Amino acid sequence: MAKKANSAFMKPMQPSEELAEIVGSKAIPRTEVTKKIWAYIKKHKLQNPKNRREIIADDKLQPVFRAKKLNMFEMTKAVNKHLS
């Protein structure tokens, strides 16, 4: 078995159905959730080109963000609500 990390960030979290559309349905650490969301945002070019801190939600992100657009800090709060 791998060495156990004691950080809360490393504890596997279960994504909600909405979030699972983006990061998959397996329980994964918050750090991985964040990485996968950013990969998704970059792949689908969802950053506002005029303000890179702003993320424009597409059809898959809207149920998670509950908004058409939000900034990086708001994104973290929105995503946390989808982890248990």
Side-chain angles (χ1 to χ4, degrees), residues 35-65:
K35 270 189 221 163
K36 287 185 179 206
I37 290 173
W38 272 111
Y40 180 87
I41 289 166
K42 287 181 166 65
K43 179 181 173 192
H44 296 279
K45 297 178 172 58
L46 299 175
Q47 274 177 290
N48 180 343
K50 290 183 180 74
N51 176 1
R52 306 284 293 158
R53 283 184 289 192
E54 190 173 70
I55 295 133
I56 298 147
D58 65 0
D59 292 344
K60 278 190 177 180
L61 279 176
Q62 267 192 344
V64 176
F65 289 180

Side-chain angles (χ1 to χ4, degrees), residues 14-28:
Q14 185 60 50
S16 68
E17 270 182 54
E18 295 94 340
L19 187 56
E21 290 280 319
I22 298 156
V23 301
S25 56
K26 279 200 333 245
I28 55 173

Side-chain angles (χ1 to χ4, degrees), residues 8-15 26-30 33 80 83-84:
F9 287 113
M10 296 310 290
K11 186 174 153 252
M13 303 290 284
Q14 185 60 50
K26 279 200 333 245
I28 55 173
R30 277 178 213 270
V33 171
N80 282 341
L83 294 170
S84 56

